Amino acid sequence: MARSRRLLFVALALMLALPMTLLTVGCSHIDDDDATTDDDDLTTDDDDATDDDDATDDDDATDDCPADDSFEENDDLASAAAVTPGDHPGLTACQDDDDYYSVTAEAGDFITVSLTFLDDDADLDLEIQSAEGTTLDSSGSGTDNEFAFYEVSEAGTYIIYVEFFGEDDDVAGVTYDMRVSVGDPPPADPCATDDIYEPNDWQATAAAITVGSYTDLKTCLGNDDYYAVELPVGDVQFLLTHTYAAGDLDLRVLDAEGNTLLNGTGLSGDDDELITPAIETAGTYWVRVNQFNDPDSDTAPGQDYSLTIAIQ
């Protein structure tokens, strides 16, 4: 009888212990072996206090930005990288990774900054700011390249701010070259008064024209020409006539947001650029003429051209 009681007690003890063992085994995948607040067995949990151990989370994700340049990390005003006057090629700006630079100047100096890049890759905007971040001059054309300058009234440190303005999530970043000058004022614009439509260097300052032919026009490197024209629905012909040997000119037709129309680009590398975009919505459109190269820029800067707009 005593033996039977002992066997019964052993059986009861095993029965009581079994659910706890099964519970422990069945839930081992949510047990944490390195911290009380995270788990290294679940793909959705953390294996340390800050990042995840699965491929879709933050410790395995790769940086979508192209290779950092030598001035990183310079992503905010407090971490602005000091630069000296001169050329700084091969820089990179990315989504959520703008660039800040600092430069020192004396009262009476001009700070002049130019950015060279392809807007087809992504758009960059440029500001010259005070040390506190107040904008002193800016350039945000929505086209290739930006240029800004500021005459310094008080000696000190000033900020150059390069903002990535691309709206395409598939574009990780854009490479650009920056030229910084401190001292003399920027050179005079050789095209500023060369034809009757200047200054029409930006889409916002485009010269208003109508359908027809225009002669004795001129553009220069870094000095694009913009024209605004009202167009009906239908096919429209744009003809740019120039002498390619004297410098290559390119032609584009843009909508109100600065987007190039389908079949609205003339980049042939020939004497003439002819494009015939289909206008789907009546309204105002913009013609952009820019000089791609200028073999005589030192002696005779600029290029003459004619422009004809015709309804087909």
Side-chain angles (χ1 to χ4, degrees):
M1 187 68 176
R3 182 178 178 183
S4 297
R5 288 196 186 95
R6 284 196 298 271
L7 291 174
L8 180 59
F9 291 152
V10 170
L12 289 172
L14 289 173
M15 291 176 64
L16 290 172
L18 183 59
M20 295 302 294
T21 303
L22 290 175
L23 180 62
T24 302
V25 172
C27 297
S28 63
H29 67 287
I30 61 171
D31 191 20
D32 184 4
D33 64 3
D34 63 2
T36 58
T37 59
D38 50 44
D39 177 24
D40 65 357
D41 296 306
L42 280 180
T43 60
T44 56
D45 287 334
D46 288 339
D47 62 357
D48 65 25
T50 58
D51 36 59
D52 293 335
D53 64 355
D54 101 318
T56 61
D57 294 302
D58 60 351
D59 65 331
D60 293 303
T62 57
D63 187 356
D64 288 334
C65 189
D68 283 342
D69 57 58
S70 60
F71 290 106
E72 293 289 349
E73 299 288 331
N74 62 330
D75 304 334
D76 54 34
L77 189 67
S79 60
V83 295
T84 56
D87 292 334
H88 303 279
L91 305 177
T92 304
C94 302
Q95 300 251 21
D96 302 318
D97 190 353
D98 299 337
D99 289 340
Y100 288 78
Y101 306 92
S102 66
V103 63
T104 58
E106 300 296 326
D109 283 344
F110 282 83
I111 300 173
T112 304
V113 184
S114 62
L115 304 181
T116 304
F117 62 94
L118 293 177
D119 187 75
D120 288 343
D121 294 340
D123 188 29
L124 296 179
D125 288 343
L126 170 66
E127 292 185 7
I128 299 175
Q129 302 179 345
S130 68
E132 293 76 29
T134 300
T135 301
L136 305 172
D137 191 37
S138 63
S139 177
S141 66
T143 61
D144 295 351
N145 311 330
E146 301 295 348
F147 175 84
F149 68 93
Y150 174 70
E151 184 176 4
V152 175
S153 58
E154 183 177 348
T157 298
Y158 292 84
I159 300 298
I160 300 166
Y161 171 43
V162 179
E163 179 184 13
F164 183 94
F165 200 67
E167 297 180 353
D168 186 351
D169 291 337
D170 293 332
V171 177
V174 60
T175 299
Y176 64 95
D177 299 333
M178 180 173 68
R179 173 172 291 181
V180 179
S181 174
V182 177
D184 295 333
D189 182 355
C191 287
T193 58
D194 281 346
D195 65 48
I196 62 173
Y197 296 104
E198 290 288 348
N200 61 332
D201 305 336
W202 312 107
Q203 188 169 354
T205 59
I209 60 174
T210 59
V211 172
S213 296
Y214 300 86
T215 60
D216 299 322
L217 306 176
K218 186 169 184 176
T219 190
C220 297
L221 285 173
N223 189 151
D224 298 350
D225 288 345
Y226 284 83
Y227 305 92
V229 58
E230 294 289 329
L231 297 175
V233 173
D235 293 332
V236 181
Q237 182 183 87
F238 296 82
L239 175 62
L240 171 69
T241 303
H242 73 296
T243 302
Y244 176 79
D248 184 22
L249 298 185
D250 291 336
L251 175 67
R252 294 177 175 85
V253 179
L254 314 174
D255 62 17
E257 286 73 40
N259 301 310
T260 301
L261 299 189
L262 183 67
N263 299 324
T265 303
L267 312 172
S268 70
D270 296 323
D271 281 355
D272 300 333
E273 302 291 351
L274 174 64
I275 55 178
T276 55
I279 304 302
E280 298 180 352
T281 304
T284 303
Y285 291 84
W286 284 259
V287 181
R288 176 193 173 195
V289 178
N290 73 286
Q291 185 157 17
F292 184 75
N293 62 42
D294 187 356
D296 300 321
S297 60
D298 293 334
T299 57
Q303 169 71 289
D304 297 326
Y305 66 95
S306 299
L307 177 67
T308 296
I309 306 173
I311 307 298
Q312 299 297 289

